[in-house]
Amino acid sequence: MSDENGIGKGIFIGFLTGAAVGTLLGLLFAPKSGKELREDIRLKSKDLLDDAGDYIEQAKDKATQLINEGKRKSEKLVADAKAKVDALLDEAEKILDDAKMKAGSAIETGKAKVEKESDKLKAAIKAGVETYKSEKSS
């Protein structure tokens, strides 16, 4: 975009310079009276000012178009980024829910194993106490 702006400025400056040099050379080498020469200079300067005004209008239109295009592109980028972020958040939430379910399942399995081993240990202690009592009484 900066390249286009620099090229446009260069073309405009070249156009104005060429027009001014051409006008001056034409006026200097033309056999006219001072009054005619001043009139020609006035007309040429008016033409140059009109051309410059046209170029400025074109530049304004181009700048407006570039600004609007930039806004549209930035809005699209923001919308795309928002959609991607939403998708990532949904995926992260799903992974978190899966992890919670797996952790809950592992905890339940662990509790069941601990209770089973606890019951076995209680039964072994009870059997040991019973054996001790029977050995003591005999």
Side-chain angles (χ1 to χ4, degrees):
M1 190 166 103
S2 178
D3 247 1
E4 292 175 5
N5 194 17
I7 290 171
K9 280 183 181 178
I11 290 172
F12 179 66
I13 291 171
F15 171 75
L16 288 178
T17 304
V21 169
T23 301
L24 286 175
L25 286 175
L27 293 174
L28 289 175
F29 289 105
K32 293 185 179 183
S33 69
K35 185 176 183 178
E36 289 175 337
L37 183 61
R38 285 190 298 275
E39 181 65 21
D40 285 348
I41 290 173
R42 187 184 62 77
L43 290 174
K44 287 294 182 182
S45 65
K46 184 178 182 292
D47 288 344
L48 287 175
L49 286 175
D50 289 344
D51 289 344
D54 291 343
Y55 180 78
I56 289 172
E57 284 301 316
Q58 290 174 358
K60 284 181 184 178
D61 291 342
K62 182 71 174 177
T64 302
Q65 288 174 357
L66 289 173
I67 289 170
N68 290 337
E69 183 180 332
K71 283 181 183 177
R72 282 192 300 274
K73 285 182 179 180
S74 66
E75 287 171 355
K76 185 179 183 320
L77 284 173
V78 167
D80 290 347
K82 186 178 183 311
K84 287 180 181 179
V85 166
D86 288 343
L88 286 173
L89 286 174
D90 290 343
E91 187 175 335
E93 195 171 310
K94 181 181 175 187
I95 290 170
L96 181 62
D97 289 343
D98 288 347
K100 284 180 181 178
M101 284 182 17
K102 287 179 182 177
S105 175
I107 288 172
E108 290 301 319
T109 303
K111 279 184 182 178
K113 285 182 181 178
V114 166
E115 286 178 10
K116 184 178 176 183
E117 293 300 318
S118 175
D119 289 343
K120 283 183 186 178
L121 184 59
K122 286 179 186 176
I125 290 173
K126 189 175 182 181
V129 169
E130 292 290 326
T131 304
Y132 175 74
K133 285 183 182 177
S134 69
E135 286 292 321
K136 190 176 179 182
S137 353
S138 15

